[in-house]
Amino acid sequence: MKKRKITVGVTGLNNIDSPGPGIPVIRALKESELFDIRTIGLSYETLEPGLYMHDLVDKSYQIPNPSTGTSSLLQRLEYIHRQEKLDLIIPNFDAELHNFIKLAPQLKSDYNIATFLPTQKQFEARHKSVLYEFGEQNEVKVPFAKMIFSASEIYTLGEEITYPLVVKGKYYDASVAATPEQAVNYFHKISAKWGLPIIIQEFISGNEVNVTAIGDGKGNCVGAVPMRKLYITDKGKAWAGVALEDDKLIDIAKKVISNSKWRGGCELEFIKTKEGEYYLLEMNPRFPAWVYLAVGCGQNHPEALVRLALGEDVNPYESYEVGKMFIRYSFDQIVNMSEFEKISTFGEL
Amino acid sequence: MHINKNIAISETGFVFNPLTGDSFSTNQVGQEILRKLQGGTNQEELLKHLTEKFNIDKTTLEKDMTDFMLMLNSYQILMDDEKA
């Protein structure tokens, strides 16, 4: 079968120790059986390793930081589109999604660039700060949590949450506190780094299990693969993992996607207790960096996302190979100064 | 008590539990026990089989078997019947 040629812009090329999902997504796209994909890397930093992976990334462009807003991003994307004729963009960072979600209708109407992203409402609904309410709405257990804006509120938690408890930043970082004094200490540490509010969450003991999944926006889960981390870095990232056979977990993931009518890729992070109960800890609104494991197990989620973005109906994957593992590795690329000069000076490579 | 039906046991004694992602290595006796349990042999029959095969006294075997079963249970290789 002749593969269709398309051009896809992908962000998240920071294939570092806490990797972005861009390179795994590109690997999946390059292995598509349906598409011959030219990949356009969209980067924020000149040292993102993906910029220099020419076997995976065909051409790269710098794009403005998310904090600069949508107009500068649109202007840059207009320029890139003129050069590359983009068919689709797959953003892979939480922090940039707000801008891309906002621009998605205009990208489609003015430039015919497709995206397949959650709605702004869906994106907001799964934020850490409102995850407890998200769990109630979508019939999935979530540890009880409360937002606080001042360290003094820790002493007024009373019996709402008992110790140990988890002190979490709005976007990143979490620490387990055994006493109010420890909780206050973590409050200051995390708020100094990530700002307010701080989330105080019930501590659930058990094993962490994660699911990479994709929803079609109509309530269907197009694919889902569960994984347990086998080796965890000091940043809490999986350096190795194995695909699990866990029908109950898949059913819960499907329920979350179906009830929320999730549109796009996502990662669901759960704690499985000793009693076999699952608690949703986080829902990330994009593919995880380990999404390539799903491809290894027989479910090409990024390819499915491309098809959905192009308006095609996609039959849900019904099986995957259990017991497949991923083991990450680091690799020193040798890069000519002229390449670094090019991306630094001209913003493209 | 029953063995998790999806446990994979290789010829080398490598055991993979697809529900938890855990993997283990077991010796020949461990392999024999797991395979018998997978085949539906109950614990009483298993004790009898092992006593005869390995020419070991029943009391020592019972003690070792209890330890082994507890370990299998803690690794979710053996499951309580109500969790089936």
Side-chain angles (χ1 to χ4, degrees):
Chain A
M1 194 178 69
K2 204 176 169 202
K3 290 184 183 183
R4 269 185 289 164
K5 287 192 175 196
I6 59 166
T7 303
V8 181
V10 181
T11 68
L13 306 183
N14 56 329
N15 213 42
I16 53 171
D17 62 339
S18 175
I23 293 300
V25 164
I26 289 174
R27 281 184 78 197
L29 296 179
K30 289 285 185 188
E31 287 180 25
S32 169
E33 289 175 0
L34 304 170
F35 301 101
D36 177 2
I37 298 179
R38 175 170 161 79
T39 53
I40 306 300
L42 306 172
S43 75
Y44 293 102
E45 308 267 350
T46 52
L47 285 177
E48 289 182 27
L51 286 169
Y52 308 96
M53 296 179 178
H54 303 307
D55 52 337
L56 291 170
V57 183
D58 296 301
K59 177 89 198 258
S60 295
Y61 292 87
Q62 293 271 88
I63 55 171
N65 277 326
S67 57
T68 58
T70 49
S71 58
S72 59
L73 176 63
L74 184 64
Q75 210 178 356
R76 184 64 175 155
L77 292 176
E78 263 175 355
Y79 169 79
I80 298 167
H81 184 58
R82 275 203 303 274
Q83 318 302 313
E84 305 295 342
K85 300 280 171 289
L86 293 168
D87 293 295
L88 174 76
I89 297 178
I90 306 178
N92 288 300
F93 282 126
D94 299 19
E96 68 187 0
L97 279 183
H98 175 76
N99 286 345
F100 276 100
I101 290 170
K102 228 170 157 185
L103 287 180
Q106 198 179 348
L107 287 173
K108 186 67 191 163
S109 62
D110 295 0
Y111 307 98
N112 200 27
I113 301 173
T115 52
F116 200 72
L117 300 167
T119 63
Q120 189 65 38
K121 203 176 157 195
Q122 288 172 333
F123 179 71
E124 301 291 347
R126 37 57 47 197
H127 263 308
K128 271 186 197 178
S129 52
V130 289
L131 191 70
Y132 188 69
E133 291 76 10
F134 179 84
E136 282 186 328
Q137 283 158 18
N138 294 294
E139 299 165 46
V140 58
K141 286 182 181 166
V142 173
F144 179 72
K146 196 181 170 179
M147 267 192 291
I148 61 167
F149 292 84
S150 142
S152 62
E153 288 180 70
I154 287 168
Y155 294 103
T156 63
L157 288 171
E159 283 174 11
E160 274 183 306
I161 307 179
T162 54
Y163 286 88
L165 48 74
V166 187
V167 184
K168 285 179 133 178
K170 195 178 174 187
Y171 296 110
Y172 299 103
D173 259 356
S175 292
V176 179
T179 62
E181 290 71 29
Q182 271 185 6
V184 169
N185 186 21
Y186 292 137
F187 177 96
H188 291 303
K189 245 185 192 166
I190 296 172
S191 62
K193 213 166 165 190
W194 303 110
L196 293 171
I198 288 290
I199 296 131
I200 301 290
Q201 192 179 57
E202 178 187 1
F203 174 76
I204 305 286
S205 157
N207 284 323
E208 188 182 333
V209 282
N210 301 329
V211 181
T212 178
I214 173 166
D216 69 359
K218 297 172 193 161
N220 300 308
C221 178
V222 172
V225 173
M227 178 276 292
R228 189 184 139 204
K229 295 174 184 176
L230 295 177
Y231 189 105
I232 301 173
T233 68
D234 54 357
K235 288 187 178 152
K237 303 294 168 189
W239 200 257
V242 61
L244 302 175
E245 179 176 53
D246 193 333
D247 294 341
K248 193 176 168 188
L249 180 56
I250 295 270
D251 285 346
I252 294 171
K254 282 182 177 172
K255 194 161 76 176
V256 172
I257 283 178
S258 166
N259 289 353
S260 65
K261 291 196 167 45
W262 186 260
R263 192 170 186 272
C266 67
E267 180 189 29
L268 298 154
E269 298 183 5
F270 292 92
I271 285 283
K272 182 184 180 185
T273 67
K274 236 179 172 182
E275 293 72 34
E277 303 270 19
Y278 293 86
Y279 286 81
L280 181 66
L281 290 188
E282 255 177 58
M283 182 177 189
N284 295 317
R286 36 90 198 144
F287 289 129
W290 59 272
V291 67
Y292 190 75
L293 177 67
V295 183
C297 294
Q299 295 195 3
N300 193 331
H301 293 180
E303 181 194 64
L305 185 135
V306 168
R307 295 185 65 198
L308 288 165
L310 297 179
E312 296 177 14
D313 286 327
V314 180
N315 289 330
Y317 286 107
E318 279 168 6
S319 63
Y320 59 91
E321 203 176 322
V322 175
K324 281 271 181 180
M325 298 167 67
F326 75 88
I327 303 167
R328 221 164 251 170
Y329 69 102
S330 58
F331 181 92
D332 297 343
Q333 295 192 91
I334 302 301
V335 174
N336 288 327
M337 184 54 77
S338 58
E339 289 201 291
F340 182 65
E341 178 193 339
K342 216 170 160 192
I343 187 74
S344 304
T345 313
F346 301 110
E348 49 190 276
L349 180 63
Chain B
M1 210 73 112
H2 66 280
I3 194 162
N4 182 342
K5 65 177 168 36
N6 298 325
I7 296 288
I9 309 163
S10 78
E11 283 175 10
T12 60
F14 187 79
V15 181
F16 173 61
N17 183 348
L19 186 64
T20 62
D22 289 327
S23 54
F24 314 90
S25 288
T26 182
N27 62 15
Q28 225 179 338
V29 185
Q31 263 186 74
E32 178 110 10
I33 294 171
L34 288 169
R35 287 193 199 284
K36 286 282 176 195
L37 289 171
Q38 252 184 343
T41 307
N42 66 35
Q43 286 195 38
E44 210 168 304
E45 290 165 346
L46 188 58
L47 273 172
K48 190 167 174 281
H49 168 78
L50 293 172
T51 317
E52 285 164 8
K53 183 162 181 180
F54 295 101
N55 194 22
I56 185 172
D57 74 276
K58 205 179 165 196
T59 316
T60 309
L61 181 65
E62 267 179 348
K63 187 183 158 295
D64 290 348
M65 274 280 283
T66 305
D67 287 348
F68 190 59
M69 293 295 170
L70 282 172
M71 195 168 71
L72 293 180
N73 193 240
S74 74
Y75 291 137
Q76 296 181 54
I77 291 172
L78 276 186
M79 315 274 278
D80 294 333
D81 286 331
E82 61 268 26
K83 284 188 186 168

